[in-house]
Each structure stands twice: as C-alpha cells, then as structure tokens.
Amino acid sequence: MMTVLTNLLDLDPAQLIAYCGELGEKPFRAKQLQRWIHQFGASNFDAMTDLAKSLRDKLATRAMIAAPAVISDHTSTDGTRKWLLDVGQGNAVETVFIPEENRGTLCISTQAGCAVNCRFCSTGKQGFSRNLTVSEIIGQLWMAEFELRRTKGIEAGPKGERQITNVVMMGMGEPLLNFEPTVTALKLMLDDNAYGLSRRRVTLSTSGVVPMMDKLSQECPVALAVSLHASNDPLRDGLVPLNKKHPLAELMAACRRYLEFAPRDFITFEYCMLHEVNDSDAHARELVALVQNHANPVSCKFNLIPFNPFPESGLTRSHNPRIKAFAQILIDAGIVTTIRKTRGDDIDAACGQLAGEVQDRTRVQERMEKMTEYQKKFGKNFGRIVEVSA
C-alpha cells in the first residue's frame, strides 16, 4: 500500500507544530522546519542539517515539499516576470513579479479560473475550474522568491536580500471564494519563521464578497483592495455580477467595518477605466458622493486602471486625457488617486490579462467564434440589442 506524502507547503505554523507532534517531535522542530522551507527554499530533507537524522528519515518517507511545476517563464522588457504554473487536471495559473526601485511585488493567483465573471477581466472568460490548495497558493511565493534569488546569484536564507517585499492577491480568481486556503497562505506570509511580511505589505483584492470580508477582518486582516469599477448599482450589476448579491450600500458598509481592523487606515478602490462606459465626469462625481457620504464616509484611495482590451469583452480603454480628467475630479474632492502604470503588456502580464490555461467550462471561445460567423452571415448587429425607430 502506497503512503500518501504530506505536502508541508500546505501547513500553516500551527498545523506544522501539530504535524511534528504526530511524529513525536517537540514544537521547536516545526519552527526549524518552517525556516528551512520558507527562508532557505529547501525541498530536500537531507539539506536540513540541524534536524536530527531520525526526524529527517521520518520526513523522507512521509512528507514532501512541492510547489506547482513551472510550464513557462517569461520576462518583459520592463523587467516584469510571469510564470505559468501547472496545477493539474489540464489547468494552469499565472504568477507575476513586478520589480520597482524600492520594492518587488508578487501578484498571486488563488483559483484556476474565476466564478465572478467580471465583464472586463479575461480571467473569467473561461469560467471556473477549481480552488487552489494552500501549497499551490504559497507555492507561488516560495517558487518565485527563490527563483529570483537564483537568477541574481543571491544566497538563500535570512542573510540574502529578500526579492519579494510585497504580495498582492490580485491574480486569477476571487480570493474570498477560496477562503480557508487563502487565509492559511496569508498566515505563512506573515509569520516571522517564514516570510515575515508586514500586514501592510500584503494586499487582498476582492470583488466584494461581503460575508467573507467580515470573516477576514477577524481571522487575518491584511490590506484590502476592492474591485469597484462602477459608481452606481445598475452599472456595477452589468460589470461585476456579484453586485446583484451584495450591492454598493452593503459593500460600503462592509468596507467601513473592515477599516476597524485593517493595518492601513484606508481601503483601496480599484477602478478599470472603460471608454464611454464608466469614465464620464458624472461617474466621477457619483464616486465622490458614494465614498464621502457625510453620515458614513469610507476612508479610501482610488487606483484607476487603464483597461487591457481583449476581444471577448466588447470594451475599449478610456483615452488618456479622459482618465486624467476623471482622476482630477477625485483629487479635487480630496481623495488620493493614482493611475496604474501598465506593466508587462508584451507578455500579457498586465492587470486583467491573466487568463492562464484553464479548462473552458463555459465554451466561450466556441460561442464567440460562432457569433462571429453569424454576424458575417446576417450582419454586424446579429445578437445585439439595437434601437428600432417606430
């Protein structure tokens, strides 16, 4: 009978202590193990020289340290690096490293595909395949940190210069719809015997899963970003379908509750700029009214994101002067506002472009091709709602 090996990347600090206890080992062994795995990038138990040989022998027959395998590895002209990772069953997810002068940010995926299906995001066009496990989530950080060090010739361990200083849960998937594995991974990122990241340097992005926002505030409050993208409910219903379940008033109330526990004193609102859809002066003024509600304002900053077009969306990017004018209205209202610099366009690593290779649960590609065929045959308005004069 084959022994199923325990992947130690699946275990948070408390779980690793419990696992060592099952092996008859004291809690301090778990801390040693954790340092070898997450600070030295070790995957071979024989390399863990300060562990007793008897423990190493036990681990060799019962455990493993395995992150998702790298399928491809591309570096952009601006230094952005994107890995495609195999998570089995025909699915692959993407992880992106964005280097800047004073920090290195890793964008991590939490699901293969996404069930939220925001209209402007290419990740959701193929539907949802499955949640990632803890080892598949934290494994992205583990793989990237030590691969970056190897590339630069920087030694593993606490003495080597850390390459990843910030983590954003903004890759493929909705993190709060994969709550337990995501929180377990977060706890490892924050633990001093693992990556030791500050809560302020770890950001989770959600499209607004209100009950799970409240749960996160109690279990592992990190910096929060909310994918807003609209200034009123009818508009957001069409862009972010989850809004029909948790409309803007409910979402704003959840943001105010989260701020009581958050490591930062503001929520970041992400807003994808879509030409003639959500980018008018009137929309900007609606946003100001939404977050500066006199009775219950939400302390926030806005991050305006130039849309990265893809054919299935039917949307185009707002023009730069329009984005700047939109931003100016928010700034004039006293709201800190930034326009995200687009990175990694040449390797499809920019925001909203992470499509990975996910089994197409919705057959969207087939349906889009069929629609194109029908439009050629019956005219460009086939399948569209058009206004007909009386």
Side-chain angles (χ1 to χ4, degrees):
M1 185 175 172
M2 284 184 63
T3 302
V4 177
L5 301 180
T6 299
N7 191 345
L8 299 186
L9 286 179
D10 275 317
L11 306 182
D12 71 13
Q15 291 166 337
L16 195 56
I17 288 171
Y19 180 76
C20 286
E22 291 171 13
L23 298 180
E25 301 290 338
K26 290 185 166 40
F28 79 90
R29 292 298 187 194
K31 291 183 179 179
Q32 288 178 307
L33 246 180
Q34 204 169 285
R35 285 195 289 265
W36 276 111
I37 297 168
H38 297 289
Q39 293 185 354
F40 287 90
S43 57
N44 185 338
F45 297 115
D46 286 337
M48 302 178 183
T49 50
D50 61 354
L51 297 184
K53 188 172 187 308
S54 58
L55 174 55
R56 282 182 273 159
D57 290 343
K58 286 181 202 172
L59 291 169
T61 57
R62 303 185 196 189
M64 64 176 180
I65 299 159
V70 175
I71 297 171
S72 65
D73 177 353
H74 297 288
T75 302
S76 166
T77 53
D78 64 17
T80 300
R81 190 167 175 180
K82 182 179 78 169
W83 294 272
L84 184 67
L85 304 176
D86 184 2
V87 293
Q89 301 168 328
N91 293 308
V93 298
E94 293 176 326
T95 306
V96 178
F97 175 69
I98 305 160
E100 295 176 83
E101 191 175 332
N102 56 356
R103 65 181 178 181
T105 300
L106 189 71
C107 183
I108 284 179
S109 296
T110 54
Q111 295 179 316
C114 184
V116 177
N117 195 27
C118 295
R119 187 180 165 196
F120 48 83
C121 183
S122 65
T123 304
K125 71 183 171 67
Q126 294 168 316
F128 171 72
S129 282
R130 70 171 179 86
N131 287 323
L132 299 188
T133 64
V134 178
S135 59
E136 290 166 341
I137 298 171
I138 199 68
Q140 295 170 64
L141 175 56
W142 183 82
M143 176 281 300
E145 175 65 36
F146 298 107
E147 179 57 31
L148 289 165
R149 290 197 192 195
R150 277 191 289 274
T151 301
K152 293 186 176 181
I154 296 170
E155 67 176 312
K159 292 181 181 177
E161 183 185 356
R162 180 189 287 169
Q163 297 304 291
I164 295 164
T165 62
N166 295 64
V167 170
V168 292
M169 298 283 207
M170 294 182 185
M172 297 173 65
E174 164 55 67
L176 294 185
L177 291 180
N178 185 20
F179 189 83
E180 298 301 337
T182 294
V183 167
T184 300
L186 287 173
K187 288 176 180 175
L188 277 166
M189 293 176 198
L190 302 174
D191 192 87
D192 286 341
N193 290 304
Y195 301 93
L197 294 170
S198 153
R199 289 180 190 273
R200 294 169 59 87
R201 289 181 172 268
V202 178
T203 301
L204 182 144
S205 176
T206 179
S207 50
V209 188
V210 167
M212 295 296 104
M213 289 168 64
D214 289 327
K215 193 173 182 186
L216 182 68
S217 73
Q218 300 307 301
E219 294 194 19
C220 193
V222 291
L224 189 70
V226 173
S227 296
L228 194 59
H229 310 303
S231 56
N232 59 65
D233 282 319
L235 179 57
R236 196 166 191 265
D237 286 348
L239 293 175
V240 184
L242 188 65
N243 195 71
K244 295 170 186 174
K245 189 171 184 180
H246 303 295
L248 284 170
E250 192 180 327
L251 178 57
M252 292 301 116
C255 289
R256 287 190 289 270
R257 291 193 297 273
Y258 193 89
L259 281 167
E260 295 176 26
F261 304 95
R264 293 180 178 272
D265 59 1
F266 61 86
I267 301 285
T268 299
F269 287 124
E270 296 161 324
Y271 197 92
C272 187
M273 299 297 295
L274 305 169
H275 178 57
E276 294 186 346
V277 174
N278 67 352
D279 64 349
S280 71
D281 286 357
H283 290 128
R285 288 191 289 270
E286 273 188 326
L287 285 178
V288 172
L290 180 69
V291 301
Q292 291 189 345
N293 179 306
H294 294 303
N296 286 300
V298 179
S299 177
C300 66
K301 64 173 277 192
F302 270 87
N303 189 10
L304 306 183
I305 305 167
F307 174 57
N308 291 298
F310 59 98
E312 296 89 344
S313 71
L315 300 166
T316 55
R317 177 185 298 194
S318 299
H319 301 143
N320 287 343
R322 176 88 301 263
I323 296 174
K324 289 177 182 175
F326 191 96
Q328 195 60 53
I329 292 172
L330 299 177
I331 291 166
D332 289 345
I335 301 171
V336 174
T337 304
T338 57
I339 299 171
R340 180 175 293 175
K341 180 182 177 184
T342 302
R343 300 287 298 270
D345 281 41
D346 54 330
I347 56 169
D348 289 338
C351 187
Q353 288 184 314
L354 302 190
E357 291 177 10
V358 180
Q359 286 187 1
D360 191 345
R361 304 296 186 193
T362 62
R363 295 168 64 205
V364 70
Q365 196 64 43
E366 180 184 327
R367 288 187 289 112
M368 290 298 296
E369 288 168 2
K370 191 64 73 175
M371 181 62 77
T372 301
E373 178 188 326
Y374 288 151
Q375 285 176 345
K376 284 179 182 175
K377 190 173 182 180
F378 300 112
K380 66 179 181 179
N381 286 324
F382 180 88
R384 300 179 187 272
I385 297 172
V386 295
E387 188 175 323
V388 181
S389 57

